[in-house]
Amino acid sequence: MTVTPMQTEELHLHLRNLTNDDYDQLKVLMDRVYDDIGGSWPERTVRLLIDAFPDGQIAIDDDGRLVGVALSLMVDYTTFSNPHQYDDLVGRRETILNNEDGDALYGLDVLIDPDYRGHRLGRRLYEARKDLCRSMNLRAILAGGRIPGYQEHADSLTPAEYLDQVARKEIHDPILSFQLANDFQVKRLMRKYLPEDEKSRGCATLLEWSNILYEPAERIIENSRTQARVGAVQWQMREFESVEQVLQQVEYFVRALSNYRSDFAVFPELFNAPLMGLTDQSDQVAAIRFLATFTERFKQELSRMAVSYNINIVAGSMIEVHEDEEHSPAYNIAYLFRRDGTFEQQAKLHITPQEKREWIIEGGNDLAVFETDAGRIGMLVCYDVEFPELARLLADDDMDILFVPFWTDTKNGYLRVRHCAQARAIENECYVVLCGSVGNVPAIDNLDIQYAQSAVFSPSDFAFPHDAVLNETTPNTEMILFSDLDFSKLKIVRNEGSVTNLKDRRKDLFMLRRTKGLH
């Protein structure tokens, strides 16, 4: 029977699972595609495969005509990620060796009707296989790939040399080139994989596509969360008459964020600075050290709130003076109070000229990523986010969320922080939460003007908003914002994004390393 190639406007394609009723059409298709290696499988073999693993047999039909098929098995990853033969999958008596307890998908065959080539049906079948692998929480897709183009180069190239030239696109192989274009990696060369495959000289590639969302069974329960909700407080500076008034306002926001089932409550840099108004302003060094006398009380109360309201609190920053150290230096420190009662701290590392000049603040020396029950986080206080090396070091330690509490007086100062924070989200493929304060307290030096627009930034790719801004507040208005952060999207963009900034760094040209003191 002669079939005229289909025009696009004539197609009526349907993606579905293969059934036993499809065998007659499948036999015709396999005979046409595999005429050089024996043609179709026996009907009994196909029925065994469908019965053993029905979800793994994917078909495309055009108004009932079978035009594309992908056949798959379940296998043990450890066994089949090492050299093997085709007969290890389909036994010599043509029995299907499907492993119901397997942790990987094995791609047996992909067949496309020659009359339908050019419509990217193979890519459609490959994507369906990837979706199946993800939905079943399997570790990877493995495949033994023929290299039929090798027959034209066997006299001049070894199989390994041929693979290398195909990978560099110096040679086109009808199967391997397609598999490489679909994100499969060649793990090794396998000899005698399919001895009757004369075009490939019996050789095949061992290919792998890794499921970056895979969670081992023993970790599914403890790592089942793939999302976190962040609540940020765009805090208004105002006059307070006591520590209790500040804590009352803080607890109001913590309670509100907890009621909305937020995983994090975020406050700005030096959110308790209005307490400096309770002392004389003639000596700013004395005023900032006076503010530090309240820090221990805040730490105790914030830790209590984190536990009581079942929420992790990123407490912006507060001033600490280490009285037991020589010359008693003052530090600007951000805190993480976990809802399990533990806490962490991250000192501001880069101190602004104003902080040095007016308050004699010193920079810390340590930098770390902190584990929480809602993701791995980093904290960079305001000016620190303008130094890209810090966020990159945190990203190298698998940070998911970067919190940036800030305090800026003018819009141009704010925009420095904002633009740098957004750059950190893009270049490190992470979420960045920017949280600032608004309002003014004329009675306190350095609190006469402020500008802030808090925001949550994402990487810039198809899975995220077009402007890479998940949420943002109204400028200069006290309010809270919420954003739901999806960590699975981070995994995908880091491995399969339009660009992959973290993976594509030229480490052969430049390296980033920590020096003494930066742990």
Side-chain angles (χ1 to χ4, degrees), residues 81-156:
S81 59
N82 287 295
H84 57 275
Q85 294 183 341
Y86 192 79
D87 285 343
D88 296 327
L89 298 152
V90 179
R92 294 186 182 278
R93 299 184 64 181
E94 295 177 332
T95 57
I96 299 300
L97 304 178
N98 183 66
N99 181 355
E100 294 181 356
D101 298 320
D103 59 353
L105 200 66
Y106 195 100
L108 286 171
D109 292 281
V110 170
L111 308 96
I112 303 298
D113 189 318
D115 297 319
Y116 283 75
R117 289 174 184 168
H119 294 299
R120 299 182 181 271
L121 301 189
R123 180 178 294 273
R124 193 174 302 198
L125 291 168
Y126 269 56
E127 290 302 317
R129 261 189 188 157
K130 292 175 184 178
D131 289 342
L132 178 64
C133 184
R134 293 188 185 105
S135 69
M136 296 184 67
N137 189 40
L138 299 177
R139 182 171 176 176
I141 301 175
L142 300 170
R146 300 173 60 209
I147 46 175
Y150 181 55
Q151 65 175 339
E152 300 176 8
H153 304 272
D155 293 337
S156 58

Coordinates of all heavy atoms in Angstrom, one line a residue, residues 81-156:
S81 N 22.6 0.5 34.5 CA 23.5 1.7 34.2 C 24.9 1.2 34.0 O 25.9 2.0 33.8 CB 23.5 2.7 35.3 OG 23.9 2.1 36.6
N82 N 25.1 -0.1 33.9 CA 26.4 -0.7 33.6 C 26.2 -1.5 32.3 O 25.1 -1.7 31.8 CB 26.8 -1.7 34.7 CG 27.3 -1.0 35.9 OD1 28.3 -0.3 35.9 ND2 26.5 -1.1 37.0
P83 N 27.3 -1.9 31.6 CA 27.2 -2.6 30.3 C 26.2 -3.8 30.4 O 26.2 -4.6 31.3 CB 28.6 -3.0 30.0 CG 29.4 -2.0 30.7 CD 28.7 -1.7 32.0
H84 N 25.4 -4.0 29.3 CA 24.5 -5.1 29.2 C 24.2 -5.3 27.8 O 24.7 -4.6 26.9 CB 23.2 -4.7 30.0 CG 22.5 -3.5 29.6 ND1 22.9 -2.2 30.1 CD2 21.5 -3.2 28.7 CE1 22.2 -1.3 29.5 NE2 21.3 -1.9 28.6
Q85 N 23.3 -6.3 27.5 CA 22.9 -6.6 26.1 C 21.4 -6.5 26.0 O 20.7 -6.5 27.0 CB 23.4 -8.0 25.7 CG 24.9 -8.1 25.7 CD 25.3 -9.5 25.2 OE1 24.6 -10.5 25.3 NE2 26.6 -9.6 24.7
Y86 N 21.0 -6.4 24.8 CA 19.5 -6.3 24.5 C 18.8 -7.5 25.0 O 17.7 -7.4 25.5 CB 19.3 -6.1 23.0 CG 17.9 -5.7 22.6 CD1 17.5 -4.4 22.8 CD2 17.0 -6.6 22.1 CE1 16.2 -4.0 22.4 CE2 15.7 -6.3 21.8 CZ 15.3 -4.9 21.9 OH 14.1 -4.6 21.6
D87 N 19.5 -8.6 25.0 CA 18.8 -9.9 25.4 C 18.6 -9.9 26.9 O 17.9 -10.7 27.4 CB 19.7 -11.1 25.0 CG 19.5 -11.4 23.5 OD1 18.6 -10.9 22.9 OD2 20.4 -12.1 23.0
D88 N 19.3 -9.0 27.7 CA 19.0 -8.9 29.1 C 17.7 -8.3 29.4 O 17.2 -8.3 30.5 CB 20.1 -8.0 29.8 CG 21.5 -8.7 29.7 OD1 21.5 -10.0 29.7 OD2 22.5 -8.0 29.6
L89 N 17.1 -7.6 28.4 CA 15.8 -7.0 28.5 C 14.6 -7.8 27.9 O 13.6 -7.9 28.5 CB 15.8 -5.6 27.8 CG 16.9 -4.6 28.5 CD1 17.4 -3.7 27.4 CD2 16.2 -3.9 29.6
V90 N 14.9 -8.3 26.7 CA 13.9 -9.2 26.1 C 14.6 -10.5 25.9 O 15.5 -10.7 25.1 CB 13.5 -8.6 24.7 CG1 12.5 -9.5 24.0 CG2 12.9 -7.2 24.9
G91 N 14.2 -11.5 26.7 CA 14.9 -12.8 26.7 C 14.9 -13.5 25.4 O 14.1 -13.2 24.5
R92 N 15.8 -14.4 25.3 CA 16.0 -15.2 24.0 C 14.7 -15.9 23.6 O 14.5 -16.2 22.5 CB 17.1 -16.1 24.1 CG 18.5 -15.4 24.3 CD 19.6 -16.4 24.3 NE 20.9 -15.7 24.5 CZ 21.6 -15.0 23.5 NH1 21.1 -15.0 22.3 NH2 22.7 -14.4 23.8
R93 N 13.9 -16.2 24.6 CA 12.6 -16.8 24.3 C 11.5 -15.8 24.1 O 10.3 -16.0 24.2 CB 12.2 -17.8 25.4 CG 13.2 -19.0 25.5 CD 12.8 -20.0 26.6 NE 11.5 -20.7 26.1 CZ 10.9 -21.6 26.9 NH1 11.4 -21.9 28.1 NH2 9.8 -22.1 26.4
E94 N 12.0 -14.5 23.9 CA 11.1 -13.4 23.7 C 10.1 -13.2 24.8 O 8.9 -12.9 24.6 CB 10.4 -13.5 22.3 CG 11.5 -13.5 21.2 CD 10.8 -13.7 19.8 OE1 9.8 -14.4 19.7 OE2 11.4 -13.2 18.8
T95 N 10.6 -13.3 26.0 CA 9.9 -12.9 27.2 C 10.3 -11.6 27.7 O 11.5 -11.2 27.5 CB 10.1 -14.0 28.3 OG1 11.5 -14.1 28.6 CG2 9.5 -15.3 27.9
I96 N 9.4 -10.8 28.2 CA 9.7 -9.5 28.7 C 10.2 -9.5 30.1 O 9.5 -10.0 31.0 CB 8.4 -8.6 28.6 CG1 8.0 -8.5 27.1 CG2 8.7 -7.2 29.1 CD1 9.1 -7.9 26.2
L97 N 11.3 -8.9 30.4 CA 11.9 -9.0 31.7 C 11.7 -7.7 32.4 O 12.6 -7.0 32.9 CB 13.5 -9.2 31.5 CG 13.8 -10.5 30.7 CD1 15.3 -10.7 30.6 CD2 13.2 -11.7 31.4
N98 N 10.4 -7.3 32.6 CA 10.1 -6.1 33.3 C 10.2 -6.3 34.8 O 9.8 -7.3 35.4 CB 8.6 -5.7 33.0 CG 8.2 -4.4 33.7 OD1 8.7 -3.4 33.3 ND2 7.3 -4.5 34.6
N99 N 10.8 -5.3 35.5 CA 11.0 -5.4 36.9 C 10.1 -4.4 37.6 O 10.3 -3.2 37.6 CB 12.5 -5.0 37.3 CG 12.8 -5.1 38.7 OD1 11.9 -5.3 39.6 ND2 14.1 -4.9 39.1
E100 N 9.0 -5.0 38.2 CA 8.0 -4.1 38.8 C 8.6 -3.3 40.0 O 8.0 -2.2 40.3 CB 6.9 -5.0 39.4 CG 6.1 -5.7 38.3 CD 4.9 -6.5 38.9 OE1 4.8 -6.6 40.1 OE2 4.1 -7.1 38.1
D101 N 9.7 -3.7 40.6 CA 10.3 -2.9 41.7 C 11.4 -2.1 41.2 O 12.2 -1.5 42.0 CB 10.8 -3.9 42.7 CG 9.7 -4.7 43.4 OD1 8.6 -4.1 43.6 OD2 9.9 -5.9 43.6
G102 N 11.6 -1.9 39.9 CA 12.7 -1.1 39.3 C 12.6 0.3 39.7 O 11.5 0.9 40.0
D103 N 13.7 1.0 39.7 CA 13.7 2.4 40.0 C 14.1 3.3 38.8 O 14.5 4.5 38.9 CB 14.7 2.7 41.2 CG 16.1 2.3 40.9 OD1 16.4 1.6 39.9 OD2 17.0 2.5 41.7
A104 N 14.1 2.7 37.6 CA 14.4 3.4 36.4 C 13.5 2.9 35.2 O 13.1 1.8 35.2 CB 15.9 3.3 36.0
L105 N 13.4 3.8 34.3 CA 12.6 3.5 33.0 C 13.7 3.1 32.0 O 14.7 3.8 31.9 CB 11.8 4.7 32.6 CG 10.6 4.5 31.6 CD1 9.6 3.7 32.3 CD2 10.1 5.8 31.2
Y106 N 13.4 2.1 31.2 CA 14.3 1.7 30.1 C 13.6 1.9 28.8 O 12.5 1.3 28.6 CB 14.8 0.3 30.3 CG 16.0 0.0 29.4 CD1 17.3 0.0 30.0 CD2 15.9 -0.3 28.1 CE1 18.4 -0.3 29.2 CE2 17.0 -0.5 27.3 CZ 18.3 -0.5 27.8 OH 19.4 -0.7 27.1
G107 N 14.2 2.7 27.9 CA 13.6 2.9 26.6 C 14.0 1.8 25.7 O 15.2 1.8 25.2
L108 N 13.1 0.9 25.3 CA 13.4 -0.2 24.4 C 13.5 0.3 23.0 O 14.5 0.1 22.3 CB 12.3 -1.3 24.5 CG 12.4 -2.1 25.8 CD1 11.1 -3.0 25.8 CD2 13.6 -3.0 25.8
D109 N 12.4 0.9 22.5 CA 12.4 1.3 21.1 C 11.5 2.5 20.9 O 10.5 2.7 21.7 CB 11.8 0.2 20.2 CG 12.7 -1.0 20.1 OD1 13.7 -0.9 19.4 OD2 12.5 -2.0 20.9
V110 N 11.8 3.3 20.0 CA 11.0 4.4 19.5 C 10.9 4.3 18.0 O 11.9 4.2 17.3 CB 11.5 5.8 19.9 CG1 10.7 6.9 19.1 CG2 11.5 6.0 21.4
L111 N 9.6 4.2 17.5 CA 9.4 4.0 16.1 C 8.5 5.0 15.5 O 7.4 5.3 16.1 CB 8.7 2.6 15.8 CG 9.4 1.3 16.4 CD1 8.7 1.0 17.7 CD2 9.3 0.2 15.5
I112 N 8.9 5.7 14.4 CA 8.1 6.7 13.8 C 7.8 6.2 12.3 O 8.7 5.9 11.6 CB 8.8 8.0 13.8 CG1 9.1 8.5 15.2 CG2 7.9 9.1 13.1 CD1 7.9 8.7 16.1
D113 N 6.5 6.2 11.9 CA 6.2 5.9 10.6 C 7.0 6.9 9.6 O 7.0 8.1 9.8 CB 4.7 6.2 10.4 CG 4.2 5.7 9.0 OD1 4.9 5.9 8.0 OD2 3.1 5.1 9.0
P114 N 7.7 6.3 8.7 CA 8.5 7.1 7.7 C 7.7 8.2 7.1 O 8.2 9.3 6.7 CB 9.1 6.1 6.7 CG 9.1 4.8 7.5 CD 7.9 4.8 8.4
D115 N 6.4 8.0 6.8 CA 5.6 9.0 6.2 C 5.3 10.2 7.1 O 4.8 11.2 6.6 CB 4.3 8.4 5.7 CG 4.5 7.3 4.7 OD1 5.4 7.5 3.8 OD2 3.8 6.2 4.7
Y116 N 5.6 10.0 8.4 CA 5.3 11.1 9.3 C 6.5 11.7 9.9 O 6.4 12.5 10.8 CB 4.4 10.5 10.5 CG 3.0 10.3 10.1 CD1 2.6 9.2 9.3 CD2 2.0 11.2 10.5 CE1 1.3 9.0 8.9 CE2 0.6 11.0 10.1 CZ 0.3 9.9 9.3 OH -1.0 9.7 9.0
R117 N 7.7 11.4 9.4 CA 8.9 12.0 9.9 C 8.9 13.5 9.4 O 8.4 13.9 8.4 CB 10.1 11.3 9.4 CG 10.2 9.9 10.1 CD 11.3 9.0 9.5 NE 11.2 7.7 10.2 CZ 11.9 6.7 9.8 NH1 12.7 6.7 8.8 NH2 11.8 5.5 10.5
G118 N 9.5 14.3 10.3 CA 9.5 15.8 10.0 C 8.5 16.5 10.8 O 8.4 17.7 10.9
H119 N 7.6 15.7 11.6 CA 6.6 16.4 12.4 C 7.0 16.3 13.9 O 6.1 16.6 14.7 CB 5.2 15.7 12.2 CG 4.7 15.9 10.8 ND1 4.4 17.2 10.3 CD2 4.4 15.0 9.8 CE1 3.9 17.0 9.1 NE2 3.9 15.8 8.8
R120 N 8.2 16.0 14.2 CA 8.7 15.9 15.6 C 7.9 15.0 16.5 O 7.7 15.3 17.7 CB 8.7 17.4 16.1 CG 9.7 18.3 15.4 CD 9.7 19.7 16.0 NE 10.5 20.6 15.2 CZ 11.8 20.8 15.4 NH1 12.5 20.0 16.4 NH2 12.5 21.6 14.7
L121 N 7.4 13.9 15.9 CA 6.7 13.0 16.8 C 7.6 12.3 17.7 O 7.2 11.9 18.9 CB 6.0 12.0 15.9 CG 5.0 12.5 14.9 CD1 4.2 11.4 14.3 CD2 4.0 13.5 15.5
G122 N 8.9 12.0 17.3 CA 9.8 11.4 18.2 C 10.0 12.3 19.5 O 10.1 11.7 20.6
R123 N 10.2 13.6 19.3 CA 10.3 14.4 20.5 C 9.1 14.4 21.4 O 9.2 14.4 22.6 CB 10.6 15.9 20.0 CG 10.7 16.9 21.1 CD 11.0 18.3 20.6 NE 12.3 18.3 19.9 CZ 13.4 18.6 20.5 NH1 13.5 18.7 21.8 NH2 14.6 18.6 19.8
R124 N 7.9 14.3 20.8 CA 6.7 14.2 21.6 C 6.7 12.9 22.4 O 6.3 12.9 23.6 CB 5.5 14.2 20.6 CG 4.2 14.5 21.3 CD 3.0 14.6 20.3 NE 3.2 15.7 19.4 CZ 2.3 16.2 18.7 NH1 1.0 15.8 18.8 NH2 2.5 17.2 17.8
L125 N 7.1 11.8 21.8 CA 7.2 10.6 22.6 C 8.2 10.6 23.7 O 8.0 10.1 24.8 CB 7.5 9.4 21.6 CG 6.3 9.0 20.7 CD1 6.8 8.1 19.6 CD2 5.2 8.4 21.4
Y126 N 9.4 11.2 23.4 CA 10.4 11.4 24.4 C 9.9 12.2 25.6 O 10.2 11.9 26.8 CB 11.7 12.0 23.8 CG 12.7 11.0 23.3 CD1 12.3 10.1 22.3 CD2 14.0 11.0 23.7 CE1 13.2 9.1 21.8 CE2 14.9 10.1 23.2 CZ 14.5 9.2 22.2 OH 15.4 8.2 21.7
E127 N 9.2 13.3 25.3 CA 8.7 14.1 26.4 C 7.6 13.4 27.2 O 7.6 13.5 28.4 CB 8.0 15.4 25.8 CG 9.1 16.4 25.2 CD 10.1 16.8 26.3 OE1 9.7 17.1 27.4 OE2 11.3 16.8 25.9
A128 N 6.8 12.5 26.6 CA 5.8 11.7 27.3 C 6.6 10.7 28.2 O 6.1 10.5 29.3 CB 4.9 11.0 26.3
R129 N 7.7 10.2 27.8 CA 8.4 9.3 28.6 C 9.0 10.0 29.8 O 9.0 9.5 31.0 CB 9.6 8.7 27.8 CG 9.4 7.3 27.3 CD 10.7 6.8 26.7 NE 10.5 5.5 26.0 CZ 11.4 5.1 25.1 NH1 12.4 5.8 24.7 NH2 11.2 3.9 24.5
K130 N 9.5 11.2 29.6 CA 10.0 12.0 30.7 C 8.9 12.3 31.7 O 9.1 12.2 33.0 CB 10.7 13.3 30.2 CG 11.9 13.1 29.4 CD 12.4 14.4 28.8 CE 13.6 14.2 27.9 NZ 14.1 15.5 27.3
D131 N 7.8 12.7 31.2 CA 6.6 12.9 32.1 C 6.3 11.7 33.0 O 6.0 11.8 34.2 CB 5.4 13.4 31.4 CG 5.6 14.8 30.8 OD1 6.4 15.5 31.3 OD2 4.8 15.1 29.8
L132 N 6.3 10.5 32.3 CA 6.0 9.3 33.0 C 7.1 9.0 34.1 O 6.8 8.6 35.2 CB 6.0 8.1 32.0 CG 5.8 6.7 32.6 CD1 4.4 6.6 33.3 CD2 5.9 5.6 31.5
C133 N 8.3 9.2 33.8 CA 9.4 9.0 34.7 C 9.3 9.9 35.9 O 9.4 9.5 37.1 CB 10.8 9.3 34.0 SG 12.2 9.0 35.0
R134 N 8.9 11.2 35.7 CA 8.7 12.1 36.8 C 7.5 11.7 37.7 O 7.6 11.7 38.9 CB 8.5 13.5 36.3 CG 9.7 14.2 35.6 CD 9.5 15.6 35.4 NE 10.6 16.3 34.6 CZ 10.5 16.6 33.3 NH1 9.4 16.3 32.6 NH2 11.5 17.1 32.7
S135 N 6.4 11.3 37.0 CA 5.2 11.0 37.7 C 5.3 9.8 38.6 O 4.7 9.6 39.6 CB 4.0 10.9 36.8 OG 4.1 9.7 36.0
M136 N 6.2 8.8 38.1 CA 6.4 7.6 38.9 C 7.6 7.7 39.9 O 7.9 6.7 40.6 CB 6.7 6.4 37.9 CG 5.5 6.1 37.0 SD 5.9 4.7 35.9 CE 5.9 3.4 37.2
N137 N 8.2 8.9 39.9 CA 9.3 9.1 40.8 C 10.4 8.1 40.6 O 11.0 7.5 41.5 CB 8.9 9.1 42.3 CG 10.0 9.6 43.2 OD1 10.8 10.5 42.9 ND2 10.2 8.9 44.3
L138 N 10.8 7.9 39.3 CA 11.9 7.1 38.9 C 13.2 7.8 38.8 O 13.2 9.0 38.5 CB 11.5 6.3 37.6 CG 10.3 5.5 37.7 CD1 10.0 4.9 36.3 CD2 10.4 4.4 38.7
R139 N 14.2 7.2 39.0 CA 15.5 7.8 39.1 C 16.0 8.4 37.7 O 16.6 9.4 37.6 CB 16.6 6.8 39.6 CG 18.0 7.4 39.8 CD 18.8 6.4 40.5 NE 20.2 6.8 40.6 CZ 21.1 6.2 41.3 NH1 20.8 5.0 41.9 NH2 22.4 6.6 41.3
A140 N 15.7 7.6 36.6 CA 16.3 8.0 35.3 C 15.6 7.2 34.2 O 14.8 6.3 34.5 CB 17.8 7.8 35.3
I141 N 15.9 7.7 33.0 CA 15.5 6.9 31.8 C 16.9 6.4 31.2 O 17.8 7.2 31.0 CB 14.8 7.7 30.8 CG1 13.5 8.3 31.3 CG2 14.5 6.8 29.5 CD1 12.7 9.2 30.4
L142 N 17.0 5.1 31.1 CA 18.2 4.5 30.4 C 17.8 4.0 29.1 O 16.6 3.7 28.8 CB 18.7 3.4 31.3 CG 19.1 3.7 32.7 CD1 19.4 2.4 33.5 CD2 20.4 4.6 32.7
A143 N 18.7 3.9 28.2 CA 18.4 3.3 26.9 C 19.7 2.8 26.2 O 20.8 3.4 26.5 CB 17.8 4.4 26.0
G144 N 19.6 1.8 25.4 CA 20.7 1.4 24.6 C 20.5 1.9 23.2 O 19.5 1.5 22.6
G145 N 21.3 2.8 22.8 CA 21.0 3.5 21.5 C 21.9 2.9 20.3 O 23.1 2.9 20.4
R146 N 21.2 2.5 19.3 CA 21.9 2.1 18.1 C 22.6 3.3 17.4 O 22.3 4.5 17.7 CB 20.9 1.5 17.0 CG 20.2 0.3 17.5 CD 19.1 0.0 16.5 NE 19.7 -0.4 15.2 CZ 19.1 -0.2 14.0 NH1 17.9 0.3 13.9 NH2 19.7 -0.5 12.9
I147 N 23.7 3.0 16.7 CA 24.4 4.1 15.9 C 24.5 3.7 14.5 O 25.6 3.4 14.0 CB 25.8 4.3 16.6 CG1 26.6 3.0 16.9 CG2 25.7 5.1 17.9 CD1 28.0 3.2 17.4
P148 N 23.4 3.7 13.8 CA 23.4 3.1 12.4 C 24.3 3.9 11.4 O 24.7 3.3 10.4 CB 21.9 3.2 12.0 CG 21.3 4.3 12.9 CD 22.1 4.1 14.2
G149 N 24.6 5.1 11.7 CA 25.5 5.9 10.8 C 26.9 5.5 10.9 O 27.7 5.8 10.0
Y150 N 27.2 4.6 11.9 CA 28.6 4.2 12.0 C 29.1 3.4 10.8 O 30.3 3.4 10.5 CB 28.8 3.4 13.3 CG 30.2 3.0 13.6 CD1 31.3 3.9 13.6 CD2 30.5 1.6 13.8 CE1 32.6 3.4 13.8 CE2 31.8 1.2 14.0 CZ 32.8 2.1 14.0 OH 34.1 1.7 14.2
Q151 N 28.2 2.7 10.1 CA 28.6 1.9 9.0 C 29.4 2.6 7.9 O 30.2 2.1 7.3 CB 27.4 1.2 8.4 CG 26.4 2.2 7.7 CD 25.2 1.5 7.0 OE1 25.3 0.4 6.7 NE2 24.1 2.3 6.8
E152 N 29.1 3.9 7.8 CA 29.8 4.7 6.8 C 31.2 5.2 7.2 O 31.9 5.7 6.4 CB 28.9 6.0 6.5 CG 27.5 5.6 5.9 CD 26.7 6.9 5.7 OE1 27.3 8.0 5.8 OE2 25.5 6.7 5.4
H153 N 31.5 5.0 8.5 CA 32.8 5.5 9.0 C 33.6 4.4 9.7 O 34.6 4.7 10.3 CB 32.5 6.6 10.0 CG 31.7 7.7 9.5 ND1 32.3 8.8 8.8 CD2 30.4 8.0 9.5 CE1 31.4 9.7 8.4 NE2 30.2 9.2 8.8
A154 N 33.1 3.1 9.7 CA 33.7 2.1 10.4 C 35.2 1.8 10.0 O 36.0 1.3 10.8 CB 32.9 0.8 10.3
D155 N 35.5 2.1 8.7 CA 36.8 1.8 8.2 C 37.8 2.9 8.7 O 39.0 2.6 8.7 CB 36.8 1.8 6.7 CG 36.0 0.6 6.1 OD1 35.8 -0.4 6.9 OD2 35.5 0.6 5.0
S156 N 37.3 4.0 9.1 CA 38.3 5.1 9.4 C 38.2 5.5 10.9 O 39.1 6.2 11.4 CB 38.0 6.3 8.6 OG 36.6 6.8 8.7

